Amino acid sequence: MQWTDPIVLRIHKPANISSFDVIKRLKKLLPKEVKKIGYFGTLDPFAEGLLLVALNQANRLTQFVHQDLPKTYRAVGVLGCETKTQDLTDTVIQKDDSDYFKNVISCFTLDFFNQRLKSFKGSYLQAPPIYSAAKFEGKKLCDWARNDGVEIKKDEVERYIYELSCKFLKFPELTFEVVCSSGTYIRTLFVDMANTIGTVGVLKNLLRTKIGSIENSQECTVESFTSSSHNYVVSLKDLLPYPVISFDEKQIMDFIHGKKWTIENVDTSSRGIYWVANKEGKLLGLASQTNNISKVLVGLH
């Protein structure tokens, strides 16, 4: 591996710092050969867990990571409390002191929650929270709210919940795991979960454990990173497990120059997307084939 190559690193982001702070710290530790650094999917400052950092041309893969890789979280929510930020970084503005909460919801079992929350699986409409990194007119919603006192409500967007299960109940705290599409706000999901049983809720803890098949490692911190830390490096083929097709020199030149081409036996299970590699196995980028015609999606050269 050379530090000028397209590289993806897995970093464990601790709680109480922003994803951008992680990037700033890591940038100081990376070799000077690294020309560009970004990340696939932000984590809220109070959250911790897996942050995938893209170096050099790997930043061109952002769309495919967001589009094709579900994200897995483990979270703890508190029933009966409400804050503007939907987590406990803000002041509690409402507590549910109703008899229904004290005498009925408090008696719900873990099995009851799992049965009741089955309705969330599948397509799920969710509006970004007012305090979030979602943008309006080029500025984050949280900046509109905190700096300008303007609470902007955006339209609901379709997300997808692949799996949702409650793991532990110690009333009023509920521990759950969710596998969901990119862009899903877990604190908003928990608020919706609380609403569906007749109360309010806030998120207490959030841990991102996986993106696609890439797992979080608490050992992969910025503080312990060095340029020889190869356990941080994520294989592009493992990250995006599309089929790999080796090209000869002529095909590679067509790919590099953006020409269209035809190729047989393309696996269509991944929407016809595949990795292009040279004979030595080095990945050159992504292509897609539709109606027997292939074209360049992303070049990594």
Side-chain angles (χ1 to χ4, degrees), residues 205-234:
N205 299 114
L206 180 62
L207 171 67
R208 184 154 69 197
T209 58
K210 291 174 68 176
I211 297 178
S213 64
I214 309 303
E215 296 187 0
N216 180 58
S217 172
Q218 295 192 343
E219 297 177 355
C220 292
T221 64
V222 171
E223 287 73 20
S224 61
F225 177 82
T226 68
S227 59
S228 60
S229 300
H230 295 295
N231 58 316
Y232 285 66
V233 178
V234 174

Side-chain angles (χ1 to χ4, degrees), residues 177-248:
E177 289 185 353
V178 58
V179 182
C180 56
S181 62
S182 183
T184 305
Y185 288 91
I186 308 304
R187 49 197 162 106
T188 302
L189 172 63
F190 184 71
V191 169
D192 291 343
M193 289 164 58
N195 290 167
T196 200
I197 62 166
T199 188
V200 291
V202 295
L203 213 60
K204 180 180 179 181
N205 299 114
L206 180 62
L207 171 67
R208 184 154 69 197
T209 58
K210 291 174 68 176
I211 297 178
S213 64
I214 309 303
E215 296 187 0
N216 180 58
S217 172
Q218 295 192 343
E219 297 177 355
C220 292
T221 64
V222 171
E223 287 73 20
S224 61
F225 177 82
T226 68
S227 59
S228 60
S229 300
H230 295 295
N231 58 316
Y232 285 66
V233 178
V234 174
S235 161
L236 298 185
K237 288 187 286 188
D238 290 341
L239 175 67
L240 292 167
Y242 302 130
V244 180
I245 298 179
S246 296
F247 275 21
D248 60 29

Side-chain angles (χ1 to χ4, degrees), residues 32-243:
K32 293 181 179 179
E33 296 96 310
V34 175
K35 299 303 181 184
K36 186 175 182 181
I37 180 171
Y39 53 88
F40 301 132
T42 190
L43 277 171
D44 288 332
F46 87 97
E48 62 178 310
L50 178 62
L51 191 69
L52 290 180
V53 178
L55 306 182
N56 305 317
Q57 303 97 324
N59 284 276
R60 299 174 184 176
L61 301 172
T62 300
Q63 169 191 343
F64 303 94
V65 173
H66 290 332
Q67 181 175 274
D68 287 351
L69 300 185
K71 296 177 180 178
T72 305
Y73 298 88
R74 187 175 182 91
V76 179
V78 181
L79 298 166
C81 293
E82 182 180 8
T83 67
K84 285 190 173 183
T85 59
Q86 301 180 336
D87 57 45
L88 288 178
T89 63
D90 198 17
T91 304
V92 173
I93 57 174
Q94 179 183 346
K95 281 196 171 184
D96 189 347
D97 294 321
S98 68
D99 290 339
Y100 181 75
F101 181 75
K102 295 175 183 177
N103 301 322
V104 179
I105 294 179
S106 65
C107 297
F108 290 164
T109 65
L110 201 60
D111 285 342
F112 173 86
F113 278 103
N114 278 315
Q115 287 296 322
R116 189 65 179 267
L117 299 178
K118 283 182 178 179
S119 61
F120 282 92
K121 291 181 67 173
S123 181
Y124 162 60
L125 291 175
Q126 184 188 79
I130 292 169
Y131 288 84
S132 71
K135 292 185 177 180
F136 175 75
E137 294 185 351
K139 188 162 70 172
K140 295 177 182 178
L141 299 191
C142 58
D143 291 338
W144 280 104
R146 290 194 177 102
N147 301 335
D148 303 303
V150 179
E151 296 185 351
I152 295 173
K153 295 182 179 180
K154 299 194 75 174
D155 292 338
E156 291 181 332
V157 178
E158 184 178 27
R159 304 300 182 196
Y160 200 90
I161 306 297
Y162 298 94
E163 299 289 341
L164 176 61
S165 58
C166 300
K167 299 298 185 181
F168 184 71
L169 174 62
K170 186 177 181 180
F171 188 81
E173 293 188 0
L174 181 66
T175 300
F176 64 99
E177 289 185 353
V178 58
V179 182
C180 56
S181 62
S182 183
T184 305
Y185 288 91
I186 308 304
R187 49 197 162 106
T188 302
L189 172 63
F190 184 71
V191 169
D192 291 343
M193 289 164 58
N195 290 167
T196 200
I197 62 166
T199 188
V200 291
V202 295
L203 213 60
K204 180 180 179 181
N205 299 114
L206 180 62
L207 171 67
R208 184 154 69 197
T209 58
K210 291 174 68 176
I211 297 178
S213 64
I214 309 303
E215 296 187 0
N216 180 58
S217 172
Q218 295 192 343
E219 297 177 355
C220 292
T221 64
V222 171
E223 287 73 20
S224 61
F225 177 82
T226 68
S227 59
S228 60
S229 300
H230 295 295
N231 58 316
Y232 285 66
V233 178
V234 174
S235 161
L236 298 185
K237 288 187 286 188
D238 290 341
L239 175 67
L240 292 167
Y242 302 130

